[in-house]
Amino acid sequence: MPSSLPEIRGGTGLADVSSSHNNMGISTLRPLCLAMGALASVQPLFVSAQEVQPTETALSPVVVTASRSAQRLQDALPHTTVISQEEIVRSQALDLRTLLKREAGVELTQSGGLGAGTSVFMRGANSNQTLILVDGVRISSATSGNANLADLLADQIDRIEIVRGNVSALYGSDAIGGVIQIFTKSGEGRKPAPSAQVSYGTHDTRRASANYGGQVGDTAFNVGVSHLRTDGFSAINQRQVPNVNPNDNGYENTSVSASLKHTFTPDWEAGVRLFQTWSELSYDSAFGRPTDEYESRNQVRTLSAFVNGKLTDQWKTRVVLAQGNDRNRNTRNGVHDGTFNTRTRQLTWQNDYTFLPGQMLQFGTELLRQSIDTSAYTADNRRVNSVFGGYQGTFGAHQIQLNARRDKYSDFGGANSYFAGYGYAINDTFKLIANASNAFRAPTFNELFYPGFGNPDLRAERARSIEAGVQATGVLGILRVTAFRTRYQDLIINAVGPGGLFAPYNVGRAQVRGIETSYRGSVAGFDIQAGVTLQDPENRDTGAQLVRRAKRFGNLGVSRTVGPLTLGADWFVTAERKENGNRTIGGYGLLGLSASYKLTPEVSVAARVDNVFDKDHQVIYPYNTPGRTAMVTLAYRPK
């Protein structure tokens, strides 16, 4: 779908909508809440991970997004979760949206089937207020502010790190709701080997992927390619928009990824990474005619080169040169209907200096250059110069993380941001955590310069957040419960201003309060992933519930492996949501079932059924959603 105009119409999503009651929310989520509460209340079950050394790596994967440096997951002060490669394979998910919707605090919407426009709302933040990174590279469009999530398929993803809450002090603009960082596959630490899979499912959906990678001596490499094609279904509900084209809206995607890293000495390494996806999407427009055919061609690409090394035994340094591209071209009945191309180039220099055991200073700079390929704007580029610093320290049971950042924009001014986090380990199992932070979102090119609409006097949107939580870590896994409150000011709202001009203005205020709970672990031989979110996303100017954000939602996934057979089930539920135009979309619950069987240690066959009971539901008005769907997969994955 076109990148800019629909985004302009959508505004910030702070529509004045009325509230109505829905009995579905609490009653549906109560079993999930009780299950999570039971896990939290039984301390003896959470035996300290330090007492079971062989499982510590599995229990505490290393993450980098929460602090910009490597640390165990259980040491991250921002609420962080990891979707591992094992989980991605077990889920049999086709796309990023399917993987993310299982996470606490994360809501997603999609205007149709596979490949259709996808938005993410993290902790109630707007879709353009969550930063999306692929291997550390920004991929958001500079015109709309949104990342093209729909084209990020699961085949090229190694793992995903999700950091919730304001972390602009680490990454700059857009990180109000948090950061989602996608890491593509690498061959590090394993013997070179190929892998491949083919799938077929409902709507004539076909997928094939192949991968080859591994490590030879001091060199690690990986190359992967995947292709997906589906006939889809008609994106818009004809009962709600009668004059729309009833044809099926198909989608095709080809993606590649490649990585190469060489270790020159024990202290120095360098490498390059590439990710690129091409897609074609047929979509519907509520403003067109029944005979109109719309197509969108998109490309997302990230390319980066890095050098890591030690200047001294205490001083680590990292330099990254990267470029991200988001390209979009639309046609209507075969005639060109808009082009929106964004190029983002960034140079990052980061230093970590450990001056005492458990005490580290972090400092660096980042240069960002964004340009767009369009003749519609009076300005087509911007420069951002940033400096950042931080401190991480532990003092016995106490843990501290402090970060500050200054971003200077060439087109609207500057912004300062901070993060202050504190953790207290009650014992080897339980830790109390408290964070305070602020964040900002820079205005997009659409909001600043779109002809007849843009407002060059806009300021950055601002947010302040406080949160407190408790974390339990042990052989049963990691459980975290976090209460948070985020207040927004200077939100950019499309409104009629002085002189009768309809344009974006810094007049919006909002608040989101909530409790989010996440759990990953194993109980009695069952692998469990669960998340529950209770929140109150409120427009502070009208008191209304923010659109497309539910007050209650959650997910429970359970799987069990017995010999060569793995069985799984996941249950997603959400309460009602508000829509533009004073509409209410009802809540719903969806059940998915999966199974896989190893024919040999390397070859497996798998099947998945989603929306098992074929429930009629809607995510965005007036768009359709799939009914019951099924897919079978044959895969070759050597150990």
Side-chain angles (χ1 to χ4, degrees):
M1 192 170 286
S3 296
S4 62
L5 288 178
E7 293 292 333
I8 292 175
R9 293 191 188 102
T12 63
L14 299 174
D16 186 6
V17 291
S18 61
S19 177
S20 63
H21 180 68
N22 187 316
N23 293 324
M24 181 267 177
I26 290 294
S27 62
T28 308
L29 285 169
R30 185 176 288 113
L32 287 177
C33 295
L34 292 175
M36 303 300 287
L39 286 169
S41 63
V42 186
Q43 177 173 349
L45 294 179
F46 277 90
V47 180
S48 168
Q50 296 178 5
E51 299 173 12
V52 191
Q53 295 296 334
T55 63
E56 179 140 349
T57 300
L59 290 168
S60 301
V62 173
V63 297
V64 296
T65 311
S67 64
R68 294 189 68 116
S69 61
Q71 60 182 163
R72 297 183 306 171
L73 174 61
Q74 66 192 59
D75 295 331
L77 292 180
H79 186 179
T80 303
T81 53
V82 177
I83 304 176
S84 67
Q85 176 62 200
E86 181 182 358
E87 287 182 81
I88 294 172
V89 171
R90 190 167 57 224
S91 73
Q92 301 180 44
L94 289 175
D95 58 358
L96 178 67
R97 179 191 60 87
T98 304
L99 294 168
L100 292 178
K101 77 174 185 179
R102 309 161 188 255
E103 296 298 313
V106 181
E107 297 177 271
L108 292 106
T109 62
Q110 193 164 18
S111 54
L114 282 169
T118 300
S119 297
V120 60
F121 303 91
M122 188 183 296
R123 281 195 177 176
N126 288 331
S127 58
N128 55 11
Q129 293 173 337
T130 295
L131 178 61
I132 310 297
L133 303 173
V134 175
D135 295 325
V137 184
R138 290 172 175 263
I139 62 170
S140 298
S141 166
T143 55
S144 70
N146 291 320
N148 189 358
L149 299 178
D151 283 344
L152 303 182
L153 303 185
D155 289 328
Q156 305 302 327
I157 299 175
D158 181 66
R159 75 183 193 281
I160 303 168
E161 296 182 8
I162 303 166
V163 179
R164 298 157 182 82
N166 299 351
V167 285
S168 280
L170 294 166
Y171 297 99
S173 177
D174 305 343
I176 292 178
V179 175
I180 298 172
Q181 180 156 203
I182 297 129
F183 295 89
T184 57
K185 293 180 178 179
S186 71
E188 233 177 319
R190 58 186 176 88
K191 183 179 178 180
S195 61
Q197 65 177 352
V198 291
S199 305
Y200 183 80
T202 308
H203 305 304
D204 200 21
T205 302
R206 294 144 284 172
R207 173 180 70 170
S209 66
N211 190 85
Y212 185 76
Q215 184 164 340
V216 179
D218 295 326
T219 302
F221 68 95
N222 193 84
V223 178
V225 61
S226 63
H227 183 77
L228 181 144
R229 184 170 184 172
T230 181
D231 290 347
F233 51 87
S234 186
I236 292 184
N237 189 320
Q238 285 187 281
R239 297 190 303 272
Q240 296 169 336
V241 182
N243 294 323
V244 72
N245 192 326
N247 67 324
D248 289 340
N249 297 122
Y251 174 67
E252 187 170 2
N253 179 298
T254 300
S255 299
V256 298
S257 65
S259 67
L260 177 67
K261 187 178 81 170
H262 183 74
T263 301
F264 295 93
T265 72
D267 293 336
W268 288 92
E269 63 182 17
V272 294
R273 282 183 174 271
L274 167 70
F275 170 78
Q276 184 157 319
T277 178
W278 301 265
S279 71
E280 294 186 15
L281 171 71
S282 166
Y283 66 94
D284 289 336
S285 172
F287 304 97
R289 299 170 299 180
T291 57
D292 284 341
E293 294 187 358
Y294 296 86
E295 289 189 355
S296 177
R297 290 178 172 84
N298 302 286
Q299 180 189 96
V300 177
R301 179 175 63 198
T302 65
L303 177 63
S304 61
F306 62 88
V307 176
N308 300 328
K310 286 185 176 181
L311 298 176
T312 69
D313 289 341
Q314 294 79 34
W315 186 351
K316 296 180 181 179
T317 191
R318 176 177 175 85
V319 178
V320 181
L321 179 64
Q323 177 171 303
N325 294 82
D326 178 277
R327 304 175 67 86
N328 167 253
R329 184 179 187 274
N330 302 283
T331 60
R332 176 179 179 179
N333 301 322
V335 179
H336 179 255
D337 194 36
T339 297
F340 304 90
N341 298 333
T342 296
R343 181 178 68 177
T344 300
R345 292 172 292 174
Q346 62 188 70
L347 173 64
T348 305
W349 180 34
Q350 177 177 320
N351 300 271
D352 296 341
Y353 182 70
T354 304
F355 59 95
L356 288 173
Q359 312 291 315
M360 186 184 76
L361 292 176
Q362 186 180 90
F363 56 94
T365 184
E366 190 168 74
L367 307 178
L368 190 73
R369 301 292 183 265
Q370 285 186 318
S371 59
I372 58 174
D373 177 15
T374 177
S375 59
Y377 297 88
T378 56
D380 61 3
N381 66 86
R382 70 167 26 150
R383 302 180 306 280
V384 188
N385 299 327
S386 310
V387 292
F388 59 87
Y391 164 77
Q392 297 176 53
T394 55
F395 304 87
H398 305 274
Q399 179 184 354
I400 296 174
Q401 178 178 332
L402 303 173
N403 297 96
R405 183 176 174 119
R406 169 67 176 174
D407 294 273
K408 178 66 174 177
Y409 282 73
S410 61
D411 50 9
F412 82 90
N416 301 322
S417 49
Y418 73 88
F419 175 91
Y422 171 74
Y424 175 72
I426 299 174
N427 51 40
D428 290 339
T429 300
F430 287 98
K431 180 165 68 173
L432 300 178
I433 297 171
N435 299 323
S437 56
N438 71 350
F440 74 99
R441 181 185 73 86
T444 67
F445 279 84
N446 281 0
E447 293 164 335
L448 289 169
F449 307 120
Y450 199 91
F453 175 81
N455 179 359
D457 296 324
L458 288 174
R459 302 180 302 276
E461 295 180 333
R462 306 280 182 168
R464 295 181 182 273
S465 181
I466 56 174
E467 61 183 82
V470 59
Q471 177 177 280
T473 307
V475 293
L476 291 185
I478 297 181
L479 168 70
R480 181 152 172 174
V481 182
T482 302
F484 65 91
R485 186 196 71 191
T486 303
R487 288 182 173 173
Y488 301 82
Q489 66 183 35
D490 289 336
L491 288 174
I492 298 172
I493 305 296
N494 301 331
V496 177
L501 178 65
F502 181 75
Y505 298 94
N506 291 103
V507 296
R509 297 184 306 154
Q511 176 177 271
V512 182
R513 295 172 293 180
I515 299 175
E516 59 192 17
T517 302
S518 67
Y519 170 72
R520 271 181 169 83
S522 298
V523 179
F526 290 89
D527 293 322
I528 301 175
Q529 185 271 322
V532 175
T533 302
L534 308 175
Q535 63 180 12
D536 183 17
E538 177 191 12
N539 182 332
R540 293 179 65 196
D541 295 323
T542 65
Q545 180 179 337
L546 299 181
V547 300
R548 297 180 182 173
R549 275 147 278 200
K551 290 190 174 183
R552 300 168 294 275
F553 60 94
N555 182 82
L556 174 63
V558 180
S559 67
R560 178 72 182 267
T561 298
V562 180
L565 177 65
T566 298
L567 298 176
D570 58 81
W571 179 39
F572 173 80
V573 293
T574 180
E576 67 179 20
R577 284 149 295 119
K578 301 301 180 181
E579 255 294 356
N580 293 313
N582 200 26
R583 294 185 176 91
T584 298
I585 295 181
Y588 57 88
L590 301 177
L591 176 67
L593 299 175
S594 63
S596 66
Y597 185 84
K598 287 191 174 183
L599 303 174
T600 72
E602 293 83 19
V603 179
S604 63
V605 60
R608 179 172 180 86
V609 179
D610 285 303
N611 193 1
V612 171
F613 298 111
D614 199 23
K615 283 198 173 184
D616 186 15
H617 63 289
Q618 196 163 35
V619 177
I620 304 177
Y621 182 92
Y623 292 95
N624 288 317
T625 55
R628 182 189 300 112
T629 59
M631 176 161 285
V632 294
T633 299
L634 179 65
Y636 171 74
R637 299 186 185 96
K639 292 184 176 181

